[in-house]
Amino acid sequence: RYDHPLLEDILKGTNGIILYQEQVMQIVNIMAGFSLSQADLLRRAISKKNPEVIQQQRKAFVEGCLKNNIDKRIADKIFNLIEYFSNYGFNKSHSAAYALISFRTAYLKAHYPVEFMAALLTSERENTDKVAQYIEESSRMGIDILPPDANESFAHFTVVGKAIRFGLAAVKNVGSGAIDSIVEARKSHGKFENLYDFTEHVDLRLVNRKVIESLIKCGAMDSFNLHRSQMIAMLDHALEVAGVLQKDRISGQYSLFDNFEADDKFKSHFQQVPDLKEWPESQLLSFEKQLLGFYISSHPLARYEKSLRLYASSTTQTLGQLHDGDEVSIGGIITKAKFTFTKRAGEKMAILRLEDLKGTVEVLVFPRSFKNAEKNIREDLIVFVKGRVNLREDTPKIIAEEILPLEEARRKYTQALSIELITTGLEKDTLARLREVFTRHKGDTPVYINFTTPDKKKLQMAAGRAVSVLPSDELITEVEKLTGEGSVGIWV
């Protein structure tokens, strides 16, 4: 009567059997005549450990079994097993399933790392936080992430040799219809030569001004070898010309422009490029962050790399190597700021996401520190955070004690500037050039020069008040050009 392997095992009293959610649904469907939707109600009640609903379903299950001529004693026994299973079985079955998934994904990541990361990026393309996290992981694995390109990219992230090309679907304002049109035009026409060529061959009903503007601003048209500022200035004219051409082609009307399509002199005259400088780097990066969710061509912190190295005691990458409660100083850019209130006293606090050149970390600014730090908490501000590391959860966090903008941190934390100078004698030329650099960067910070003589003796000389400086990345860069990379130190 019960010609089903699973039911037979249960009725025989097989010990140690692990049930899966789908099998529970099969049991109640076969024995009690539950519909699949009704069986799913029981499944959800079991997974959420809802005893009231489980007891309601017990009554329905037993009644269903009786209608199918199944003894009440057997029905109760089966449901007792299902109920017992709800206390432990899902944990075991889920553990087994997740273990299998973990093994498979680990294998793919180890043996097909580029393909694996491309698929992972594609699966989370609408979650900018996840995309940023996986791009960081790709960089750690030595995999380059190439920026989006109208001539190279498809909808999804794709493998290009040992690198990954950014997918167009991850660009804000660029929908699937527009992407299909771009890819189709590329297949039939070939790679686009310039902005006019692009607007002429894509379907402007799908690839509208907002789409093209987004592609330009995020860098997807940099292969046209023009400034992004120039392409934005040309866009309206390119759309106007392409609109006329496309309407004429649809109506079958002959166009004057078609006659000159292969004439390079005509094209160069007609498609004039305005003489414009590129936007400032900060604006370029701001557009990238706005449209992609993060920076891809550069990083706003790149120019402050020396200060971050000299003033920070740790990076986001090395926080996990500290001990819980250790003091830490870390510099970065605030990429997200959430203001909230404590549950107990209703005092204002903030939760920040701080990004440095190595990754991101969550910073908790509790009420005691928040009062003084509030004026320095805003997105896109470059700051130094002093506090203590918290390692009580899976990922390190920082409990902030002080937050200062970069320039203010330099002034407050810098006690003196030291320069290591390895010399065979006091080269007058080097010292004279150093003096010139100090003069261009006048300030209140004293300078000390450390000499290492040929016989390995260490000598230190104070440069004097007349050559006190204002610390900056520009100063450090100029000094290190004269004295060598890494020769400048900061006393804090």
Side-chain angles (χ1 to χ4, degrees):
R1 291 233 1 217
Y2 311 115
D3 189 16
H4 191 284
L6 181 61
L7 293 181
E8 287 190 8
D9 284 342
I10 293 172
L11 292 173
K12 288 175 184 175
T14 304
N15 293 322
I17 187 168
I18 296 177
L19 301 178
Y20 293 88
Q21 298 184 44
E22 295 79 5
Q23 293 171 329
V24 171
M25 293 177 67
Q26 281 183 317
I27 292 168
V28 297
N29 173 252
I30 295 168
M31 294 186 68
F34 275 29
S35 66
L36 292 179
S37 61
Q38 191 178 2
D40 192 54
L41 286 175
L42 176 59
R43 180 197 64 78
R44 279 184 284 174
I46 291 173
S47 65
K48 295 181 184 298
K49 295 180 172 57
N50 189 328
E52 292 82 7
V53 177
I54 291 173
Q55 288 308 311
Q56 291 171 7
Q57 293 298 313
R58 170 189 282 275
K59 182 180 178 182
F61 176 78
V62 172
E63 289 176 354
C65 286
L66 292 174
K67 287 180 183 178
N68 288 332
N69 298 318
I70 297 174
D71 188 87
K72 183 177 183 301
R73 183 180 57 81
I74 294 176
D76 282 330
K77 179 181 178 181
I78 296 295
F79 201 89
N80 286 340
L81 289 172
I82 292 173
E83 191 172 18
Y84 176 69
F85 161 71
S86 71
N87 293 324
Y88 80 99
F90 276 21
N91 297 334
K92 286 190 175 182
S93 62
H94 281 190
S95 296
Y98 284 129
L100 182 60
I101 292 171
S102 299
F103 173 80
R104 287 172 174 169
T105 53
Y107 179 88
L108 290 171
K109 187 176 181 181
H111 295 278
Y112 303 95
V114 183
E115 292 81 358
F116 176 80
M117 294 307 298
L120 201 57
L121 284 162
T122 294
S123 70
E124 296 287 358
R125 61 186 178 276
E126 295 180 0
N127 186 332
T128 54
D129 289 342
K130 286 288 187 182
V131 169
Q133 179 184 337
Y134 295 148
I135 285 180
E136 182 184 331
E137 173 67 6
S138 298
S139 299
R140 189 194 65 78
M141 295 166 64
I143 301 170
D144 291 331
I145 304 294
L146 306 176
D149 189 331
N151 272 327
E152 297 283 348
S153 296
F154 293 88
H156 298 158
F157 288 80
T158 51
V159 176
V160 181
K162 294 184 178 180
I164 297 173
R165 174 69 70 181
F166 209 98
L168 294 178
V171 181
K172 191 176 180 180
N173 302 324
V174 181
S176 58
I179 296 170
D180 291 342
S181 176
I182 293 169
V183 173
E184 186 58 38
R186 211 165 61 203
K187 286 180 180 177
S188 59
H189 168 68
K191 289 189 175 183
F192 308 112
E193 295 179 8
N194 52 47
L195 180 62
Y196 283 89
D197 192 32
F198 179 88
T199 55
E200 179 183 344
H201 289 94
V202 298
D203 187 343
L204 295 179
R205 293 168 298 182
L206 299 170
V207 189
N208 56 33
R209 191 188 197 285
K210 190 173 185 179
V211 170
I212 302 174
E213 185 176 328
S214 298
L215 291 172
I216 292 172
K217 287 181 175 179
C218 78
M221 292 189 169
D222 286 358
S223 57
F224 297 159
N225 297 318
L226 292 175
H227 295 323
R228 297 178 197 179
S229 61
Q230 292 174 314
M231 287 187 280
I232 288 293
M234 297 163 59
L235 181 54
D236 285 333
H237 186 244
L239 288 170
E240 182 183 350
V241 173
V244 172
L245 282 170
Q246 291 189 15
K247 284 179 182 177
D248 287 347
R249 286 173 185 168
I250 290 171
S251 63
Q253 184 175 335
Y254 178 80
S255 169
L256 171 66
F257 298 115
D258 287 333
N259 191 42
F260 292 100
E261 191 170 346
D263 191 326
D264 291 336
K265 289 184 179 179
F266 174 80
K267 278 187 175 181
S268 62
H269 174 74
F270 187 72
Q271 302 173 1
Q272 291 186 358
V273 177
D275 184 15
L276 292 174
K277 291 183 179 179
E278 183 58 290
W279 293 319
E281 184 184 47
S282 59
Q283 188 174 349
L284 291 171
L285 295 177
S286 176
F287 283 139
E288 287 183 8
K289 183 69 180 292
Q290 176 186 335
L291 294 164
L292 300 175
F294 46 88
Y295 312 103
I296 195 162
S297 63
S298 183
H299 198 289
L301 294 176
R303 60 186 295 189
Y304 305 109
E305 183 178 4
K306 293 183 186 297
S307 287
L308 295 177
R309 171 171 53 83
L310 290 170
Y311 289 92
S313 64
S314 182
T315 69
T316 55
Q317 196 174 59
T318 58
L319 285 174
Q321 300 171 13
L322 303 178
H323 297 98
D324 186 54
D326 280 355
E327 289 187 356
V328 66
S329 173
I330 189 167
I333 184 170
I334 298 174
T335 59
K336 190 175 183 179
K338 178 185 176 183
F339 297 94
T340 185
F341 296 89
T342 59
K343 291 181 179 179
R344 181 175 297 178
E347 296 178 288
K348 198 171 184 182
M349 62 170 289
I351 303 172
L352 315 180
R353 184 169 61 196
L354 186 75
E355 180 177 330
D356 67 3
L357 291 167
K358 300 295 184 180
T360 61
V361 65
E362 185 175 277
V363 179
L364 304 176
V365 191
F366 290 118
R368 183 173 57 83
S369 303
F370 182 83
K371 292 175 183 177
N372 293 325
E374 182 177 11
K375 63 181 181 297
N376 298 324
I377 297 176
R378 66 174 187 272
E379 293 184 6
D380 297 327
L381 183 66
I382 298 172
V383 298
F384 268 90
V385 176
K386 273 197 168 185
R388 295 187 178 276
V389 65
N390 184 315
L391 299 177
R392 296 173 190 173
E393 298 182 25
D394 292 340
T395 55
K397 291 181 173 58
I398 294 175
I399 310 299
E401 294 174 357
E402 184 177 46
I403 299 177
L404 294 176
L406 176 60
E407 292 304 323
E408 192 175 333
R410 280 180 179 143
R411 288 194 298 271
K412 182 173 180 178
Y413 298 150
T414 307
Q415 301 299 316
L417 192 79
S418 68
I419 301 169
E420 294 290 335
L421 190 63
I422 299 174
T423 178
T424 56
L426 294 180
E427 287 90 345
K428 292 182 179 179
D429 185 51
T430 300
L431 294 175
R433 289 185 181 182
L434 280 174
R435 187 181 182 88
E436 289 176 9
V437 172
F438 298 153
T439 302
R440 289 197 298 273
H441 296 273
K442 279 187 174 295
D444 300 321
T445 302
V447 178
Y448 292 87
I449 299 177
N450 302 314
F451 297 98
T452 303
T453 63
D455 56 354
K456 307 297 182 183
K457 287 184 178 180
K458 298 274 188 182
L459 300 173
Q460 186 179 84
M461 180 182 74
R465 291 185 179 180
V467 289
S468 295
V469 297
L470 179 66
S472 67
D473 277 26
E474 291 77 12
L475 168 65
I476 296 168
T477 298
E478 288 186 42
V479 171
E480 289 189 342
K481 281 183 180 178
L482 295 172
T483 59
E485 188 73 24
S487 60
V488 177
I490 299 290
W491 295 0
V492 294

